[in-house]
Amino acid sequence: MKFFGEKRIKAEAVGIVKDPAPVRVREYPKKTPEENLLESREKTKEKPLIGGANKVVFIELKDDGSGIFKPADGEQKHLREGIPGGSYYLRERAAYLINRFLNFDLVPPTVIREIDGKVGSLQEFVADAKEGREMPQIWLEDKYRDDLKKMLIFDYIIWNVDRHDRNFLVKDAGILAIDNGLSFGNSDFEPFMRFYAEEIPDSIADNLKKFFGWEEGKAILKDLLLELLESGEVEACFSRMKHALKLLEGGRIPSNLNDFKFNPA
């Protein structure tokens, strides 16, 4: 199964631990070089970014790399029902992990780390990318449609209730789903782009099938998510993954919006 490669490390080397429970004996897949860079490089410069509800800082890292830092103490409370302020940064990391385990290749590498005494999420900065709002007719361009359909399914799985044209990037021929902090809650889900009854790329359902056939991977992902989310949120996410696979059995996106209302959260 080609999800993370063959090298593995112990649980204590993976991510931030939500509670001080005993370290699990299961071994976790090794982090990517991009994650290691984001976690280890010292900050050299920073620049606050304006325009959003929460505090966001552009960070330059020593020697190489840059990222978007979202500190926990800069989060506004009660932006969405069932998503407490101070947890958005954890949800950013959770969304990245699901993207990675499903091989969706939508979310830039995202880690949890401390910068200047503040804990938050740090996501790899994507240079030379456009915001979706800069391409208002993007859904008409064939080269982007498959990725946009994949983002629709991804948003359903993570129950992202804040996708709009400023919350995804366009680079080359690909789409990148950023700003995933308002996910895994229980507000109403409304697809940003719908593509009702259109054909879906085989790779989306294939990746879901491969994941559900990977018993160790399911257990690993669940353990990692439980370090970031409440148990009910994790179980609901896995249930939505199964439901998404069922919805795609016919090779098309469902034509009824109600098919995207299933959320056991």
Side-chain angles (χ1 to χ4, degrees):
M1 193 70 63
K2 279 182 62 180
F3 281 81
F4 293 87
E6 297 178 355
K7 294 183 179 179
R8 294 173 179 270
I9 53 176
K10 292 292 185 178
E12 58 264 35
V14 177
I16 187 170
V17 177
K18 185 179 177 185
D19 57 52
V23 172
R24 302 170 180 86
V25 297
R26 182 180 293 116
E27 292 185 336
Y28 292 127
K30 190 173 182 178
K31 293 177 184 176
T32 66
E34 292 81 7
E35 289 176 78
N36 287 326
L37 186 152
L38 289 170
E39 287 185 338
S40 63
R41 296 287 172 87
E42 295 179 12
K43 181 199 77 173
T44 58
K45 294 181 181 179
E46 68 173 58
K47 178 183 178 181
L49 303 178
I50 60 174
N54 303 303
K55 184 176 181 179
V56 179
V57 184
F58 173 76
I59 299 290
E60 290 188 18
L61 301 172
K62 185 177 180 180
D63 297 327
D64 184 30
S66 55
I68 301 298
F69 184 59
K70 299 180 179 181
D73 66 0
E75 298 179 0
Q76 297 291 325
K77 298 179 179 180
H78 311 305
L79 290 180
R80 293 294 189 279
E81 181 182 352
I83 305 178
S87 74
Y88 308 158
Y89 75 105
L90 296 169
R91 297 165 193 273
E92 295 274 5
R93 169 71 175 170
Y96 165 70
L97 287 171
I98 291 169
N99 160 84
R100 189 176 166 201
F101 271 75
L102 295 180
N103 277 348
F104 273 9
D105 199 25
L106 285 172
V107 182
T110 308
V111 302
I112 304 296
R113 67 168 290 180
E114 182 178 301
I115 297 178
D116 295 337
K118 298 181 181 294
V119 175
S121 64
L122 182 65
Q123 185 173 88
E124 183 179 74
F125 177 71
V126 182
D128 303 318
K130 295 181 179 181
E131 287 186 345
R133 66 189 176 93
E134 298 177 68
M135 302 179 66
Q137 300 296 311
I138 189 173
W139 59 278
L140 295 174
E141 298 191 38
D142 288 342
K143 64 180 178 180
Y144 298 117
R145 290 179 72 83
D146 283 357
D147 265 6
L148 290 170
K149 293 173 185 178
K150 182 165 58 175
M151 186 170 68
L152 164 61
I153 301 304
F154 176 68
D155 282 344
Y156 169 71
I157 288 171
I158 68 170
W159 206 256
N160 186 329
V161 294
D162 190 40
R163 184 70 64 207
H164 51 75
D165 61 6
R166 295 176 64 96
N167 280 0
F168 71 91
L169 301 177
V170 183
K171 183 170 182 179
D172 303 324
I175 300 296
L176 295 166
I178 60 170
D179 292 335
N180 299 300
L182 295 179
S183 300
F184 306 101
N186 53 24
S187 300
D188 289 339
F189 174 75
E190 183 76 23
F192 171 59
M193 292 186 181
R194 301 182 178 183
F195 302 108
Y196 290 156
E198 290 196 19
E199 290 186 0
I200 196 82
D202 291 339
S203 60
I204 298 176
D206 288 346
N207 284 355
L208 283 164
K209 290 176 183 176
K210 289 176 183 177
F211 173 72
F212 278 110
W214 184 28
E215 294 301 323
E216 183 185 20
K218 288 189 292 184
I220 290 170
L221 178 59
K222 185 168 288 188
D223 277 355
L224 289 172
L225 292 178
L226 285 170
E227 295 173 353
L228 304 166
L229 305 171
E230 299 299 328
S231 60
E233 294 172 330
V234 175
E235 293 299 329
C237 181
F238 269 72
S239 294
R240 290 192 299 269
M241 281 192 229
K242 293 178 181 177
H243 187 65
L245 184 56
K246 183 178 180 180
L247 293 179
L248 301 179
E249 284 178 350
R252 292 181 178 274
I253 293 176
S255 58
N256 190 337
L257 178 62
N258 288 329
D259 288 329
F260 288 105
K261 295 298 184 181
F262 173 77
N263 182 28

